[in-house]
Amino acid sequence: MHNVVCVKQVPDSAQIRVHPVTNTIMRQGVPTIINPYDLFALEAALELRDKFGGEITVLTMGPPSAEDSLRKALTFGADRAVLLTDRCFAGADTLATTYALATAIRKIGKEYGSPDLIFTGKQTIDGDTAQVGPGIAKRLSVLQLTYVAKIRALDFTARTIEAERRSEGGVQVLRTRLPCLITMLEATNQIRRGAMTDALRAARAPIVKWSAQDAHVEDISKCGLRGSPTVVKRVFAPSSRAEKAVLVESAEQPAEALLDAVFKHQPKLEADLAALAVCDL
Ligand code: FAD
């Protein structure tokens, strides 16, 4: 079995500072980490390899410094790391990101064997869109299971996978065919500590580096800023007039008292809710 895990290098959000004048995020000098959700995806792939054997390829699109995250993924036990790096990928929105990653996954399939499963995290902690996984699945025409909390079973002979998917209404148990893309939720498994042998191997392991040309990107105009239709019209800075109010003084406080306190602070809210209640009637 061959599984591909997409990992993104992101700024460590615990270390991010906001510029006091411009209110923009100050990224310079901020340490980077593997997007935390991607570690759960990697662990899910490692657990499957423990049971069924095979190989795991980790893939990232990013600047040359993203090699650090790939090396870290190798210390957890991934077999191979591919860094998709080229100036033409810079400034990519999700449309351009999925184009580049899907192209690289096709090339990975040709070089190292078609993937049975492609894993991504649920979302990143910097972009937060949660669009990249589904976008890759669409571009590769593979089935997708999103918001997966647990892989329950995998039948390699019948080529089916059964997974628990967390949804608003509860947990869905879904079964589908391989190949398939899975976006993995947080805290669904215990991320392992890498073995010493993996750490030693990771320190020396070659990282496969592909430019757009190496990855056989057919249309450069679909990459990076040029291939990104997303337009940022305005950045909203957090309001400095935000007010903090203590509304609950004890856990025993009745709900009515809490509502009274909320309405006292937000009188318009009470009127709006009353109007809605009349409409419902
Ligand atoms: P998500 O879709 O949240 O990521 C899901 C998973 O996809 C990840 O867990 C990871 O497994 C995989 N993945 C994502 N990126 C990579 C990568 N480079 N390499 C390998 N695997 C990856 N783009 C838009 O199109 N619309 C926006 O509104 C938008 N807003 C942004 C706001 C901020 C503050 C920032 C920093 C970026 C924004 N972007 C936006 C750009 C966005 O970060 C990029 O498109 C990014 O490459 C992928 O989107 P994401 O981080 O939201 O990924």
Side-chain angles (χ1 to χ4, degrees), residues 6-8 25 27 35 37-38 59-62 92-95 97 101 119-124 126-133 230:
C6 298
V7 299
K8 185 181 179 190
I25 289 173
R27 287 168 182 267
N35 179 48
Y37 295 109
D38 304 351
L59 166 68
T60 195
M61 181 185 84
D93 71 1
T94 52
L95 197 69
T97 300
L101 289 176
F119 285 93
T120 70
K122 174 186 79 161
Q123 66 190 70
T124 60
D126 64 345
D128 262 340
T129 65
Q131 293 172 0
V132 169
T230 305

